[in-house]
Amino acid sequence: MSDTSRLLADNVQAFLARHPGAACDETFMEAVRESGFALAMAPEELGGLQCSLAEAATVARVWGYQAAPLPIVELLLSGFAARIKPDLVLTTTFMPRGGGERLAAWFPGVERCVDLSGAGSTIAPVGERSASTTLATEPLVAVTQDAMAGSFRLAGDDLLPRGALLTAARMLGAMERVLELTVEHVTLRQQFGRPIARFQLVQAMAADAASEVAASRAVIGDALAVVDHGETADLLWRAAKIQAARAATLVSAHAHQMFGAIGFTEEHELHRFTTSLLAWRNVWGSTASIEKELGGLACTIGGDGLWGAIAGN
Amino acid sequence: MLWFEERPNVAAPRPEESGLRLEVRRFLDGECKAGGFVPRPNNWVAFDRAFSIRCAEQGYVGTTLPKQYGGGGKSARERLVICEEMLAAGAPLGSHWIADRQSAPQILRHGSEALRARLLPEIAAGRCTFAIGMSEPDSGSDLSSIRTAARKVDGGWRLDGRKVWTTNAHHADYMIVLCRTAPRGEDRYAGLSQLVVEVASDGVTVRPIRNLAGEHELNEVIFEGAFVPDDNLLGEGGDGWRLVNEELGFERSGPDRFLSTYPVLRLLVAETGKDPNRYQAVAIGQLLSRLLAVRSLSHSIADLLANGERVILAATMMKDIGTALEQEIPQVAGRLLEIHPDPHGSGFAAALAAALLNAPSFTIRGGTREILKGIVARELGLR
Ligand SMILES: Cc1cc2nc3c(=O)[nH]c(=O)nc-3n(C[C@H](O)[C@H](O)[C@H](O)COP(=O)(O)OP(=O)(O)OC[C@H]3O[C@@H](n4cnc5c(N)ncnc54)[C@H](O)[C@@H]3O)c2cc1C
C-alpha cells in the first residue's frame, strides 16, 4: 500500500505542478477528469484505480497541500459511489440556511448531492449555482427542499466516514503546508536584530501548531487504516475529523499571528490555506454535530465499556 | 512525506492482542473486586508493593527485560498493551512504575554486568522500587547546573549533595542519581555521571515533603559522604548528560502521559448516563476525540522505535498535549456534573478531587510544558 500511496502522491504533485493557477472551472475539471485521479476509488471495470481509502486520502492530502481548487473529496467519493451507481457525480451539503435550503460544494458538471441533514446519506439533485461561497470563496450550489423530493438513499452509511476522513486528509495537507511556510517565515524574518524564531513565544506557537498537525496525522492515519481493514471505526473517524478541525483552528490562528501583516494580504499565499481550513472544519458534518455524536456514542457504550471500545475487547 | 504509510502500531482494537488485553483486564477486575485496589487517577504514583508483586507474578513487570535477567523477553508492544490496561484501570503502580519504565532499561543498557545480574531480576519480580534523582533545590529545568557531586575513592565513589522532589524515595530501594564527577568547566554538559545509589546506605537521609493534597509522595534526599561501589556507575562516567537524556526519553514517552486521569473520564461517562444533554455530549465528544488523537500519536512512537528512527519530537509533542488533556479532563468533568469534588469521599467525587489536586503537577513533572515546547521548537529548527 505504501508504495502505491507514494507513487500516487508523486503523480498528484506532478499533475498539480503542471496546472499552476488552476481555478474551479471547466478547463481544470477536464484536466482532472483526464488525469484519472477523480476515479481513484472507482472499480477497475469503470476505469478507476480501485484505490484504498488511505490511497485516496493521499490524493486529498496533496490537494490540500497545494491549495488546489475543485472539491476533490467529492470527486473522489463520486468514484467510490460509482460502485453502487455509475455516473453519479456527488457533492455534499454542509451549510444549512434558513427556509430549509442547504448549500453544497459546486463544480462543473455536478448534478447530485449527498444530503447529510437526515439520517444516513440521501442523494438529491442540486439546484442553481448560488451567489454564496465558502470563506475561501469556493463556489456553492443550492439544494432546495423541492429537489429533495427526487432523492434516493444510498445503501449503507459508507459515505459519511469516508467523506469526513478525506476532508480531514485534505485539511492535514493544508496544515502541513502552513507549518512549513511558517517555519520558513519565522527563521527568515528578522526583528530586533535576530530571526523572530529566537523569541520564545514564537517558538511556543510553532510548537503548538506542530503538535496539532502531528496528532492529526496520527489519528487520521489510524482511522483510514481501520476503515480499509473493513472494521468499524465509529469512534476513530469522528475523533479524526474533530481533531483535524481543532488543529485547523489553532494552526490558522497561530500562523497568522507569526506572519504578521504580510500574512493578512490577498497577495500572500497563506490565506489560500487558512481560510479553506476554517471552512472545511464544518464540511462533511459540522464539528459540533460530530462531537455530539461521539459523546453520545461514549455514553451509550457507558463508562465501564468505554476503554474496551477504545482499545479493543 | 504526504502519503499514509502502512503502520503496524495502529491505535485501534486489534484482534491479535485482544487475548492479552482481556487477560490483563480480567486480572485487574479480580483485584479490584477482591478489594485489592480502588481505581484512582494519578495512580501510577500510588505505592503498593504487594500489588506490584502480584502483577510481576503475572508477567506484567519487567515485561521487555531479557529472560536471563528474570524478565519476560516480550516486545515493547506487549508492554504498551499491559501499561495501557493498568493505567486505564487506575491501578496502584507506584512501587514498580519508575523501575519498570526507566530505571531497568537504563541499567540494562548502561549498567555493569554485576549490577544487571543483581537488580534486574528483583525489578522483574516487583520487589524493587526505584526513585529518580535528578532535580535539586537550585536545579529544576536546568539540570546541567546540579551540584550534587561524587568523588572517586578506593572501590567506588563518595556522594555529597541534595536531591529534591524525589517521588517515592521513602519507599525506594534504589535511586539513580545524576551528579558531577568532574568540576563544571567550559562545557556545562561535561563531567556529569549517573550512579545507582542504595537508599538504605549510610549517609543517605530521606525527608518527607507533603504535597498540596496532603499526600506524601515527594521527598528531599540528602547525601553526606554516601559510598557507592564502582559497579553502580552507569555508562563510562562523564557521559551523564547523554544518559540522563536517554532516561528522560523513557520517562516522557509512555501512556502515563495521557491516561493519568482516564479513570475520571470513565466515571464521568458512567455518571452522565445513557442520555446526555447536548452540552454534555459535545464536551465528552471533545475529550474523547482528543484522547484518541493523543493515543494515536503515542502509538506512532512505537512505529518510529521499531524503525530505529528518532522519537524525541513525537514523544515530546505527545507528552505536551497528553498532559494538557490530563488536566482538561477533571476541569470539564467538574463543570458537567453537579457533584462536589471530595478528597474524603468515594467514587466520582473522590476521583475528581484527586485529579484536580494533582493536575498542576502533570505539566511540571518529567520536564515542564515550557521546556517541552522548547525541545519541539529546536527539533523544528527554530533554535
Ligand atoms: C509531582 C512531582 C514529582 C516529581 N518527581 C521528581 C522525581 O521523582 N525526581 C526528580 O528528580 N524530580 C522530580 N520532580 C521535579 C521536576 O522534574 C521539576 O519540578 C521540573 O523539572 C521543573 O523544575 P522546577 O520545579 O525547579 O521549576 P523551574 O525549573 O524553576 O521552572 C519554573 C517555571 O519556569 C519555567 N522555566 C524554567 N526554565 C525555562 C526556560 N528555559 N524557558 C521557559 N520557561 C522556563 C518552567 O517551565 C516553569 O514554568 C517532580 C516534580 C513534581 C511536581
Side-chain angles (χ1 to χ4, degrees):
Chain A
M1 176 193 100
S2 293
D3 276 352
T4 327
S5 287
R6 180 195 316 230
L7 209 66
L8 208 53
D10 289 348
N11 288 342
V12 179
Q13 288 269 40
F15 168 76
L16 292 176
R18 286 196 300 275
H19 295 88
C24 187
D25 58 18
E26 192 54 59
T27 318
F28 188 50
M29 184 67 208
E30 197 46 46
V32 172
R33 271 196 204 104
E34 268 167 32
S35 75
F37 296 132
L39 284 178
M41 292 180 86
E44 266 167 27
E45 60 270 22
L46 295 176
L49 304 172
Q50 204 141 357
C51 283
S52 67
L53 185 62
E55 288 158 354
T58 296
V59 177
R61 186 169 165 186
V62 176
W63 225 265
Y65 182 83
Q66 297 288 3
L70 289 182
I72 187 67
V73 171
E74 281 72 17
L75 292 176
L76 288 164
L77 279 172
S78 301
F80 175 76
R83 295 163 201 240
I84 303 153
K85 188 173 164 54
D87 298 331
L88 192 63
V89 184
L90 290 176
T91 181
T92 173
T93 57
F94 55 89
M95 215 184 280
R97 290 207 308 194
E101 199 181 16
R102 303 171 70 79
L103 295 171
W106 177 89
F107 54 91
V110 64
E111 291 162 352
R112 293 190 174 257
C113 150
V114 183
D115 186 64
L116 302 173
S117 57
S121 334
T122 306
I123 310 293
V126 297
E128 295 293 302
R129 172 117 178 234
S130 170
S132 303
T133 70
T134 70
L135 277 182
T137 66
E138 294 156 308
L140 295 170
V141 63
V143 184
T144 58
Q145 201 96 69
D146 278 357
M148 307 283 274
S151 68
F152 65 95
R153 277 185 61 101
L154 205 66
D157 275 332
D158 292 341
L159 279 181
L160 186 52
R162 284 178 171 76
L165 284 174
L166 291 172
T167 303
R170 190 182 191 188
M171 294 169 79
L172 174 64
M175 291 192 279
E176 289 171 317
R177 184 69 188 133
V178 170
L179 192 60
E180 278 177 14
L181 290 171
T182 304
V183 168
E184 193 179 287
H185 175 76
V186 299
T187 43
L188 290 176
R189 173 72 176 168
Q190 304 234 348
Q191 286 295 285
F192 300 95
R194 69 195 98 157
I196 57 172
R198 289 288 123 78
F199 299 115
Q200 210 171 35
L201 286 173
V202 171
Q203 291 173 4
M205 281 192 279
D208 285 346
S211 296
E212 290 303 326
V213 174
S216 305
R217 191 185 298 125
V219 69
I220 294 168
D222 283 354
L224 291 168
V226 172
V227 172
D228 275 334
H229 280 119
E231 291 152 23
T232 47
D234 285 349
L235 302 184
L236 262 181
W237 78 255
R238 291 184 173 89
K241 182 64 171 31
I242 296 166
Q243 168 59 31
R246 176 174 176 155
T249 308
L250 182 136
V251 169
S252 309
H254 279 11
H256 276 292
Q257 192 63 20
M258 287 184 272
F259 266 92
I262 190 71
F264 188 59
T265 59
E266 183 175 46
E267 191 185 346
H268 197 283
E269 64 179 319
L270 183 62
H271 71 88
R272 296 177 46 227
F273 302 91
T274 54
T275 53
S276 313
L277 279 170
L278 296 185
W280 297 339
R281 290 179 303 183
N282 295 314
V283 177
W284 285 95
S286 73
T287 306
S289 70
I290 300 180
E291 286 167 348
K292 178 170 162 276
E293 280 172 20
L294 183 61
L297 278 174
C299 290
T300 306
I301 294 164
D304 290 342
L306 184 58
W307 178 253
I310 294 169
N313 286 312
Chain B
M1 186 184 105
L2 290 171
W3 61 92
F4 293 96
E5 299 258 83
E6 186 125 43
R7 296 183 19 222
N9 285 293
V10 170
R14 299 197 333 187
E16 69 276 17
E17 66 190 29
S18 78
L20 179 58
R21 285 200 185 271
L22 288 182
E23 176 202 306
V24 181
R25 230 172 270 168
R26 256 197 306 275
F27 164 75
L28 292 167
D29 221 39
E31 282 285 328
C32 198
K33 290 210 173 95
F37 71 91
V38 179
R40 284 286 163 86
N42 200 37
N43 247 19
W44 50 270
V45 177
F47 181 85
D48 185 341
R49 173 67 58 85
F51 177 76
S52 287
I53 291 174
R54 293 198 294 278
C55 288
E57 282 163 0
Q58 304 295 316
Y60 302 157
V61 183
T63 316
T64 57
L65 288 175
K67 288 199 164 135
Q68 70 185 103
Y69 298 116
K74 300 261 173 60
S75 68
R77 178 74 203 180
E78 282 162 293
R79 177 171 180 274
L80 178 63
V81 167
I82 293 166
C83 289
E84 278 196 340
E85 292 297 326
M86 304 240 235
L87 290 161
L93 309 171
S95 178
H96 70 266
W97 192 252
I98 288 170
D100 184 78
R101 176 182 71 187
Q102 63 196 83
S103 318
Q106 198 71 348
I107 290 168
L108 180 67
R109 290 152 64 106
H110 304 294
S112 64
E113 183 48 42
L115 196 67
R116 288 195 257 182
R118 189 150 47 88
L119 296 187
L120 296 181
E122 286 298 296
I123 293 176
R127 287 193 293 261
C128 192
T129 300
F130 266 73
I132 306 165
M134 299 182 192
S135 308
E136 297 184 3
D138 292 327
S139 306
S141 299
D142 177 15
L143 273 184
S144 71
S145 70
I146 54 148
R147 291 207 287 259
T148 296
R151 76 200 136 79
K152 192 72 192 83
V153 293
D154 212 22
W157 306 81
R158 288 265 170 216
L159 188 64
D160 283 282
R162 191 198 287 192
K163 293 291 171 182
V164 76
W165 319 127
T166 320
T167 294
N168 285 339
H170 56 309
H171 295 301
D173 304 286
Y174 296 92
M175 182 168 163
I176 298 184
V177 174
L178 180 70
C179 59
R180 284 227 150 263
T181 44
R184 184 168 167 169
E186 278 284 277
D187 178 0
R188 60 215 214 104
Y189 303 116
L192 298 169
S193 300
Q194 280 197 321
L195 292 174
V196 180
V197 180
E198 197 167 347
V199 179
S201 324
D202 285 344
V204 181
T205 311
V206 179
R207 292 201 188 128
I209 303 173
R210 293 207 162 266
N211 71 14
L212 58 73
E215 298 156 351
H216 177 197
E217 172 203 327
L218 303 173
N219 299 275
E220 178 183 33
V221 185
I222 298 147
F223 306 101
E224 293 160 306
F227 178 73
V228 185
D230 276 332
D231 278 345
N232 290 25
L233 173 73
L234 297 182
E236 310 285 303
D239 51 359
W241 184 252
R242 181 170 63 79
L243 262 54
V244 82
N245 277 294
E246 276 184 34
E247 185 181 344
L248 284 168
F250 292 116
E251 182 173 346
R252 286 172 180 164
S253 57
D256 43 347
R257 301 309 183 178
F258 67 93
L259 288 174
S260 298
T261 57
Y262 180 79
V264 176
L265 181 60
R266 184 176 76 92
L267 291 169
L268 166 66
V269 170
E271 288 288 335
T272 302
K274 305 258 177 253
D275 201 14
N277 64 35
R278 182 183 167 83
Y279 176 60
Q280 290 169 326
V282 166
I284 291 170
Q286 285 170 348
L287 292 178
L288 182 55
S289 71
R290 194 62 167 174
L291 183 80
L292 291 168
V294 178
R295 181 164 182 262
S296 284
L297 185 57
S298 143
H299 285 221
S300 75
I301 296 170
D303 287 317
L304 295 172
L305 275 174
N307 297 338
E309 288 172 49
R310 270 166 73 76
V311 301
I312 181 162
L313 177 60
T316 310
M317 296 193 290
M318 190 277 287
K319 179 175 187 280
D320 185 24
I321 62 177
T323 50
L325 171 67
E326 291 180 334
Q327 289 179 334
E328 195 184 352
I329 287 172
Q331 296 294 352
V332 173
R335 266 202 322 269
L336 290 182
L337 296 179
E338 301 271 335
I339 299 176
H340 273 282
D342 178 0
H344 304 289
S346 61
F348 181 78
L352 183 60
L356 285 170
L357 292 175
N358 278 287
S361 73
F362 300 152
T363 49
I364 298 171
R365 66 187 320 160
T368 70
R369 167 210 293 152
E370 292 70 29
I371 294 302
L372 298 178
K373 290 188 199 300
I375 294 172
V376 173
R378 187 189 70 209
E379 293 294 309
L380 293 175
L382 266 54
R383 47 185 285 246

